[in-house]
Amino acid sequence: AGGGRMIDRLRKWYYNAAGFNKLGLMRDDTLHEDDDVKEALKRLPEHLYNARVFRIKRALDLSLKHQILPKDQWVKYEEDHPYLEPYIKEVIRERHEREAWNKK
């Protein structure tokens, strides 16, 4: 159990050291937009997509100004949920199914 706490502390440290949370971004906001991610973004519900666009625009603005958000507005490790991950997994599963079907 002690090792699990150590790993969790290390994950939190790395999360904060990466710095994207200081700009108000979530981890899924920073993913490289390959074809799978682009397709997953198309499938996001509108409110999630709009929230993502807002976070990214705000982060770009802050970055251009060489600023970060006040600490109380940073995205906390515990609050960062993988909102895009289920959609990416679905897109990848469908792509694999298509590829397997095309091999037949």
Side-chain angles (χ1 to χ4, degrees), residues 9 29 42 52 61 70 73-74 80-81 101 103:
R9 282 197 304 250
D29 297 335
K42 291 177 186 176
R52 173 189 168 89
D61 184 56
Q73 294 181 35
W74 293 3
D80 191 336
H81 58 282
W101 179 259
K103 285 182 182 178

Side-chain angles (χ1 to χ4, degrees), residues 8-94:
D8 198 44
R9 282 197 304 250
L10 184 60
R11 284 182 181 149
K12 287 180 183 179
W13 174 84
Y14 183 77
Y15 181 86
N16 287 313
F20 57 82
N21 66 319
K22 297 171 185 164
L23 297 172
L25 294 172
M26 299 175 86
R27 190 170 332 164
D28 281 0
D29 297 335
T30 66
L31 294 175
H32 172 70
E33 290 189 19
D34 61 15
D35 291 339
D36 292 334
V37 173
K38 287 178 184 177
E39 179 60 33
L41 287 169
K42 291 177 186 176
R43 299 178 183 197
L44 272 179
E46 188 175 3
H47 72 282
L48 289 177
Y49 182 79
N50 290 341
R52 173 189 168 89
V53 169
F54 170 79
R55 288 190 301 272
I56 291 172
K57 284 184 176 184
R58 178 179 58 185
L60 285 170
D61 184 56
L62 288 166
S63 181
L64 288 171
K65 295 175 181 176
H66 301 284
Q67 297 176 346
I68 60 173
L69 290 171
K71 192 166 185 168
D72 64 329
Q73 294 181 35
W74 293 3
V75 177
K76 293 168 190 60
Y77 176 80
E78 298 79 14
E79 296 171 352
D80 191 336
H81 58 282
Y83 67 90
L84 193 55
E85 186 178 315
Y87 299 94
I88 294 172
K89 286 181 178 179
E90 179 182 332
V91 167
I92 291 171
R93 182 185 55 75
E94 290 173 3

